[in-house]
Structures are given as C-alpha cells and as structure tokens.
Amino acid sequence: MASRGSIAGRAGGALSRPYLSRAVASSSLSAVLVLGVGIPVAEADDPKPGATPSIPDIATQYPTDDPTSIPTGQAPSLPGEKGPGDPGFSEPPDNIGDSEVPVEVDPGAEGLRLADGAKLAEPKVLDIKFVTEDLGGEERREDSTVKTKFTLQAEVLFPKDSPKLNSGAKSRIKTIAEEIEKQGSTQVNVFGFTDDLGSYEHGRKLSKKRAAMVQRELAAMLGPDVSFNVRGYSEDYPVADNRTEEGRKKNRRVEVSFPKKD
C-alpha cells in the first residue's frame, strides 16, 4: 500500500501543469489591471481594420490670395476661376476697356427726311403717374402731373352696408385734407363706388351717401373756400373682378381727387 506521501507526490506531479497555467494567467491579468491597459476583444463581424486615410491640407496645397474664395481641393475649377489668362475669364464691368467709335449719322439720309409738307408735332408733357399703396391695399395714392387721387376701401371708413363713419375714418380723411390744403386745391371730387352684390339702385344710394359723408368731413376741415363734386356710381367703373371677394373688396371704395396747382 502506497504511503500518503507517495500519493501526495503523484497528485502534485499530475496537477502541476494546470496549476502552472492558471498561475501564469492570473499573473498576466494582474499586470494588465495594474497597468490599466485594455485588451481589445475581437468580434466575428468586425471589419478588417485598414490604414487610416490621410487628409491633405487643402489650404496649403491650393493657396489663394482671395480670402473670400473657398479652395476646392481636388474638385475641377470653373472656367475663368483662376483669373486673367485663364480661358473663360471675363473682366469686371468697370474695366471693359475702350468703347467703339459711335456710328456717324448722316442728317441728309433719305430715310430721315420728312415727307413734303409734313411737320413735327408740338412737344407735350406726358401724364406720368406715381402710385403708392399700403401693404393691405386699404389706401392707395396716385400722383400725376395734373392731379392727385386717394382711394380708400369702404371697410376702413364704414361698417358693412352703412354710410356712417367708423372710429378710425376721421384720421384717414384728415390726411387727405392736409394734402389738399398743402397743394392749394379749391376743387375736389368725392366719388363713391360699390360692388355688384345687391340691386344697382341700392348700390347707387349707398355709394352716394358714403361719398357725401366723406365730403362733409373734408369741408369741416378745409373751410368754405373749397368746392366739391359728389357722386355715387354704384357698381359702375369697377377696378377689380367682382367674381371674387378680394375683387369686390377693392371695388367698394371712395375716391377723392383734386387737380394740382399750376
């Protein structure tokens, strides 16, 4: 019968290799933990790592004197992009060089002669209009060489289907009165218009009453030296399409016009 010492010796000899492997692995793991080095774990789906691509210094490889231009790197340049000498380059508008000599016109040319007995028309000043309108289209002003006309939409002066002035109407009428006084006009036209909804007769009465109400306010602000022509035209003389509400709104209006002082 083998002694306990012999069994222990054999057992120690048989287990010496596994114990040694575990000891080495434990030592390696301890070293890794002490040094703080992580061991990457390979995954089956990880792509094979390749070389890190280098990024060229575009500003160094493609320098430019123009701080507003952006280097395009490897992208193709546009025609004329490199400046004078580059095909496709064009001079700036202020540097177009010498202009061509104008063509000389022969005053005696056959095509420039007037027919026998013909005369040139008398010179005249054209009636040029300047139009200003607020963003909502509620008020419009037209100035020409002969007159000034203000057009106010009915909604900014009156309640719906009413000839009574609303709270904000007087300030708008005052602006017109100041312009009439500034230009020294003594003859003023005040015309009222409606859309084509309802009867023509109703529109005629309403447009006339509205024009008369505006005239009354102007007269109180301007005094007795100014005379007025007051008309109500109902749906006549539309300025927009009555088939849409937007058009009808423009047609419901009061126009105040007066001639410019010579």
Side-chain angles (χ1 to χ4, degrees):
M1 183 172 184
S3 64
R4 178 179 294 181
S6 300
I7 296 174
R10 287 196 300 270
L15 298 177
S16 61
R17 290 183 181 274
Y19 285 164
L20 180 62
S21 299
R22 282 197 295 268
V24 172
S26 300
S27 300
S28 300
L29 179 60
S30 300
V32 170
L33 293 176
V34 170
L35 295 177
V37 177
I39 302 175
V41 180
E43 297 285 347
D45 295 335
D46 284 349
K48 183 178 181 181
T52 302
S54 60
I55 302 175
D57 187 352
I58 297 179
T60 303
Q61 294 187 9
Y62 307 97
T64 175
D65 294 332
D66 185 2
T68 64
S69 63
I70 301 175
T72 57
Q74 299 294 342
S77 299
L78 298 174
E81 189 180 40
K82 297 179 181 179
D86 184 17
F89 176 79
S90 61
E91 294 285 346
D94 295 336
N95 188 22
I96 59 176
D98 297 332
S99 59
E100 298 181 359
V101 178
V103 178
E104 185 176 353
V105 178
D106 180 10
E110 191 69 26
L112 298 179
R113 292 182 181 179
L114 290 174
D116 294 339
K119 295 181 180 181
L120 292 175
E122 293 293 329
K124 64 178 180 179
V125 178
L126 298 177
D127 186 13
I128 302 175
K129 289 185 178 182
F130 297 92
V131 179
T132 57
E133 187 175 15
D134 61 9
L135 293 178
E138 296 176 347
E139 184 171 335
R140 176 186 177 95
R141 173 174 175 167
E142 299 178 24
D143 285 284
S144 70
T145 55
V146 295
K147 72 175 181 179
T148 297
K149 182 173 73 173
F150 287 87
T151 302
L152 300 176
Q153 289 185 2
E155 278 78 357
V156 303
L157 297 175
F158 308 98
K160 184 178 180 180
D161 201 30
S162 171
K164 296 181 180 181
L165 294 172
N166 59 33
S167 58
K170 290 188 178 182
S171 62
R172 292 180 181 267
I173 296 174
K174 183 179 179 181
T175 300
I176 299 175
E178 291 173 350
E179 188 63 28
I180 295 172
E181 193 171 34
K182 177 182 176 181
Q183 296 192 24
S185 301
T186 57
Q187 188 77 20
V188 179
N189 297 325
V190 184
F191 300 153
F193 304 85
T194 63
D195 55 31
D196 63 351
L197 298 180
S199 68
Y200 181 88
E201 186 61 25
H202 175 73
R204 188 185 65 81
K205 291 179 180 179
L206 179 61
S207 59
K208 177 68 176 293
K209 289 180 180 180
R210 285 177 169 178
M213 187 62 71
V214 173
Q215 178 269 331
R216 188 179 305 171
E217 288 295 324
L218 288 173
M221 297 174 183
L222 295 172
D225 294 334
V226 179
S227 59
F228 296 86
N229 294 317
V230 182
R231 300 284 188 275
Y233 289 102
S234 187
E235 63 192 58
D236 294 337
Y237 310 108
V239 295
D241 190 351
N242 271 314
R243 292 176 296 180
T244 65
E245 176 55 29
E246 182 179 357
R248 290 190 293 269
K249 186 176 181 181
K250 292 181 179 180
N251 290 331
R252 298 189 295 265
R253 68 195 190 278
V254 174
E255 295 180 356
V256 181
S257 61
F258 43 93
K260 287 185 176 293
K261 189 176 181 180
D262 294 335

